[in-house]
Amino acid sequence: MSQTTTTPGPLLAPPAGAQSTVTRTAPASTADREIKRRRVLEILDAKGQDSLLLTTHTALTWYLDGSRVHISLAGDPIAALLVDRDGDHLVTFNNEAGRMAAEELPAGVSLHTVPWHGNLHEAAAAVGRSSGPAGSAGTPAGTPLAEAAVATELRAARQQLLPAESARYAHLSGELAGIMTDVLSTARPDTTEFELVSALAGRVVAAGAEPLVLLCNGSSRSDFRHPLATHTPLGRRAMAVVCARRDGLVANITRWVRFDAGTPEELDAESRIAAVEADIFDATVPGARLDRIFGEIKAAYVRHGFGAEQWEQHHQGGPAGYAGRDPRVTAAATDTVVLNQPFTWNPSGPGVKIEDTVQLTESGVKVLTVDDRWPTTTVNGLRRPVTLQL
C-alpha cells in the first residue's frame, strides 16, 4: 500500500500547456462543515475515542458537504475519510485523486492516495495510527472508531440541515418537481413506461443529478407498489416516481397522470390517501419519536378507510436528506424529530400513493418538491398535488 499526502502542488497540476477543463467546484460550505466537524468531535468525546472512519455514501457525502464519492451508482464509495482531532483525511484511489482534488475536495481536507488495487479502509485507518492513546473501550492505539459503531449518533448529527445544504436541497427538489411537470405533461396513453422514465432520467442527468430510483406503472400495472418500468403503454392513468441525488442530497417525488376523468372510486381513494398524509404531517413535530409517528400512520389508514393492513403493503417513508430514507420509519425507530429536518412520507393504498420531499420548519411542514404549474388541492391548510388530467 502506498500512501501520499497531497497538498496543492505538482501532483494535481494539469500538464504543461493544457487548458483547465474544471467545470465543477466542491459545493461545501465552510460554515456548515465547521459545524459538522464539531458534531463528529462531540461523538468522539462521548465515546472516548480520537478518530472515526467514515466509509458509506451517506456519511461521506454528508460530512464532506456534497462531494461526489461514487463512480458506479451501484458500487461502493471510491473514498474513505478519517476524522481525527488533528484534521480530516480523505483517502482515494490513485486514479481518482486528480478529479477529487480538482472538483470534490472541500477546503481543509487532506488528500491521500492508495493504488487502485489497494484497500481504502486499511489506508484510511493507517493515516491516524501514528499518535493517540488506546480508547476507553479497549481499542488499540490509533485504531479509528468504525462508522457502524456510531450509526445512530451520526444519523442524529445529520438530521438538522444547515443553511447552505437546506438551500441546495430546496433547489434540487424544485427542479425535480419541474421536471416531473414537463415530462408528464407530454405523456399520452400510448407512451410506454420505459419511454416515460427515459425522458425523466435524461432531464435529471441534464440537471447534474443522478437518478437513483425510476418507477412507472400504467393502468394495467397499478397494483404494484414498486413498479419497475416495462414496455407496457400507460393506458388511461399512470404513476411516476423519481428519487434523484445531487451534492449528496436525495429528493423524492411521486406524481400521477390520467387521460380521462377518473372513476369515482379512484377520486375517493386519492382524497383519502391525501388525508392519511395530512395526519402524518400533523404528527411530524419537533420532539416526536419516529416509532410514535409510525403508530399514528397505522391509525390513519384505519381512520380514512384503507384498513389496518395497508401499512404492511409498502414502507411508509421517513426522514430524508443524504439517504432516500434516513431511516425508514418502523416500530423500532426511536429517533427524535428536530427542526429543519427533511422528510419524505409516502403513504399508499390500492392504486394510490402520495409522496413529496418536505422540511420541518418553525412554521410547520414546508413542501420542497413544488412546481406551481402542477394542479393541487388544499388538504388541512397545505397545497397537495392531485392527478394531472390530460
Side-chain angles (χ1 to χ4, degrees), residues 68-71 78 95-105:
R68 297 179 298 181
V69 293
H70 71 280
I71 295 298
I78 48 81
N95 58 315
E96 308 290 353
R99 178 184 64 84
M100 291 297 293
E103 300 177 348
E104 309 295 342
L105 194 69

Side-chain angles (χ1 to χ4, degrees), residues 26 33 74-75 137 239 252 257 268 271 276 301 341:
R33 285 212 67 252
M239 176 185 77
N252 315 284
V257 60
D268 176 64
S271 176
V276 172
Y301 277 106
Q341 185 174 7

Side-chain angles (χ1 to χ4, degrees), residues 16-291:
Q19 293 185 347
S20 173
T21 58
V22 174
T23 58
R24 171 183 163 89
T25 57
S29 156
T30 300
D32 284 6
R33 285 212 67 252
E34 288 177 354
I35 295 172
K36 293 178 180 184
R37 177 168 169 80
R38 186 161 64 246
R39 290 176 182 175
V40 171
L41 292 179
E42 289 171 355
I43 293 173
L44 292 176
D45 289 343
K47 296 294 183 179
Q49 299 288 335
D50 288 322
S51 62
L52 171 63
L53 183 61
L54 302 179
T55 57
T56 67
H57 285 289
T58 301
L60 287 165
T61 54
W62 166 73
Y63 189 74
L64 294 171
D65 207 24
S67 297
R68 297 179 298 181
V69 293
H70 71 280
I71 295 298
S72 167
L73 290 177
D76 294 330
I78 48 81
L81 188 135
L82 184 83
V83 182
D84 67 18
R85 298 188 183 279
D86 294 327
D88 299 326
H89 308 273
L90 186 73
V91 177
T92 190
F93 297 114
N94 64 309
N95 58 315
E96 308 290 353
R99 178 184 64 84
M100 291 297 293
E103 300 177 348
E104 309 295 342
L105 194 69
V109 178
S110 299
L111 183 63
H112 307 255
T113 65
V114 64
W116 62 264
H117 52 83
N119 187 303
L120 276 178
H121 297 182
E122 288 181 0
V127 172
R129 283 182 181 161
S130 60
S131 63
S136 59
T139 305
T143 300
L145 191 64
E147 182 184 323
V150 288
T152 301
E153 291 86 349
L154 282 171
R155 194 165 63 240
R158 60 180 177 261
Q159 282 180 310
Q160 186 178 57
L161 294 188
L162 298 167
E165 59 191 345
S166 291
R168 292 197 299 269
Y169 206 19
H171 188 200
L172 168 63
S173 297
E175 280 193 80
L176 184 57
I179 288 169
M180 277 291 218
T181 302
D182 290 343
V183 173
L184 268 64
S185 295
T186 67
R188 297 293 179 265
D190 60 350
T191 302
T192 69
E193 295 167 349
F194 271 136
E195 287 172 340
L196 192 70
V197 298
S198 295
L200 289 168
R203 288 290 304 275
V204 168
V205 173
E210 298 110 27
L212 301 184
V213 176
L214 292 166
L215 304 176
C216 182
N217 61 15
S219 54
S220 67
R221 302 176 65 239
S222 60
D223 288 342
F224 301 131
R225 308 280 174 118
H226 270 165
L228 294 175
T230 71
H231 289 292
T232 305
L234 299 182
R236 51 177 295 271
R237 69 191 291 259
M239 176 185 77
V241 179
V242 181
C243 303
R245 181 177 65 191
R246 189 169 68 197
D247 299 330
L249 291 158
V250 182
N252 315 284
I253 186 172
T254 294
R255 291 291 185 265
W256 289 82
V257 60
R258 66 168 158 251
F259 305 99
D260 59 21
T263 68
E265 293 78 15
E266 288 168 353
L267 299 175
D268 176 64
E270 290 169 7
S271 176
R272 288 185 292 115
I273 203 65
V276 172
E277 183 197 51
D279 287 355
I280 302 172
F281 285 159
D282 281 347
T284 307
V285 296
R289 272 186 12 181
L290 293 183
D291 56 343

Side-chain angles (χ1 to χ4, degrees), residues 316-330:
Q316 302 303 306
Y322 288 90
R325 303 297 188 276
D326 196 19
R328 287 183 181 179
V329 66
T330 67

